[in-house]
Amino acid sequence: MLSELGAMASLSNVYLSPKSQYPSSFSSAISPCKSVCLVSPKTASDFQLKGVSMNLDLFVIRGNHHGRAWKCGVQLVPIMAVQKSEPLKIMIAGAPASGKGTQCELITKKYGLVHIAAGDLLRAEVAQGTANGKKAKEYMEKGMLVPDEIVVTMVKERLLQQDAQEKGWLLDGYPRSLSQATALENLQIRPDLFILLDVPDEILVERVIGRRLDPVTGKIYHLKYSPPETQEIANRLTQRFDDTEEKVKLRLKTHHQNVEAVLSIYEEVIIKVKGDLPKETVFADIDAALSVVLESKAKPISAAMATSVTQ
Ligand code: AP5
């Protein structure tokens, strides 16, 4: 156990969970290890320890419970360590206008993840008039997937940037084909959770046609479901070049041709969320799922109970 403790030296907290018979109030010291410090016991069976000595294998707690002095020895065989959570890695998918971008705004606001949207990266290339942008636009106009030779490297490079590695990432609209998913698998890039927004096709066309974007803030609006807050914002809203009824039907067809293959790669981490409800309700479902993932990522890496208690 001690060697295991040594291996945990970099962990932020070490929790000791002794048997439950300790009195709930403490007044006194811990010996023999001065480097162990007992901090505000929350319950009789839950003490938080800071600065656990790497040489510690036994210590004694002395206390006072309703005027009665007590002491007990605890052998540190059982230690529970909690590691600082790794950043979240999330993918979000769904048909055109299923609400991916809208939910990403809400997720990043709460969880601070780096939002990486394949469509946004491509539109930036188109706007800059690069060679890749010109080629990508031909496909985007037709509602087709942009070839892998453009998209795969672009997304991979963005994912590997420092901010995404440190804060965690939220990958929106990628991967969209088996070959893209396989490329990520080969790099051992896997999500903790794959969110699939489920919206009936008949709703999507209306969402696309009514969508407007604020070029100043990047915020997504809908003329009916999420109108701009002020006339000033309304006046500057723009529409995407592929947001026509004709093009969204082509995009939808492409989506249906590819989605099952992508889902087959991530079936162990998929959560299907009903996306035809108000955006706040959709977010509440996503939020609940993300909380569970976060909690599981912070799980103790070693858990056991204290032994050899004497009183
Ligand atoms: P991309 O930009 O990713 O477009 P998309 O997948 O068609 O998705 P959208 O951005 O249209 O919709 P969204 O789901 O984000 O919905 P939003 O939140 O805006 O891709 C564009 C093109 O790029 C592709 O066609 C392809 O050519 C290319 N491309 C992209 N990724 C690629 C890849 N991996 N490989 C190859 N090519 C790729 O919401 C839509 C509207 O609905 C908004 O007005 C919003 O206000 C409203 N709304 C949202 N949620 C709700 C709600 N709950 N209730 C009512 N209204 C709502």
Side-chain angles (χ1 to χ4, degrees), residues 1 3 10 20 39 63 84 105 109 138 146 154 171 173 183 229-231 235 240 278 284 289 300:
M1 189 62 215
S3 59
S10 63
S20 56
V39 195
K84 191 169 179 284
E105 277 180 17
K109 196 169 164 198
E138 287 173 30
V146 173
M154 195 180 71
L171 196 47
E229 297 86 351
T230 65
Q231 191 56 42
N235 292 341
R240 265 170 49 175

Side-chain angles (χ1 to χ4, degrees), residues 95-102 118-119 122-123 140 144-146 151 173-174 176 180 207 211 220-222 225-226 240 242 251 275 277-279 282:
S98 54
K100 301 183 290 295
T102 301
L122 287 167
R123 278 184 288 279
M140 294 167 86
M144 293 165 67
L145 292 185
V146 173
V151 191
Y174 192 96
R176 279 192 207 217
Q180 292 177 5
R207 283 199 186 174
R211 170 167 49 194
I220 304 165
Y221 290 97
H222 190 280
Y225 301 117
S226 185
R240 265 170 49 175
D242 56 350
R251 281 154 59 197
L277 300 169
K279 67 177 183 182
V282 178

Side-chain angles (χ1 to χ4, degrees), residues 1-11 14 54 76-81 301-304:
M1 189 62 215
L2 288 178
S3 59
E4 206 174 308
L5 258 180
M8 292 171 190
S10 63
L11 302 179
V14 176
M54 291 308 128
L76 283 184
V77 175
I79 288 288
M80 186 158 65
I301 59 171
S302 165

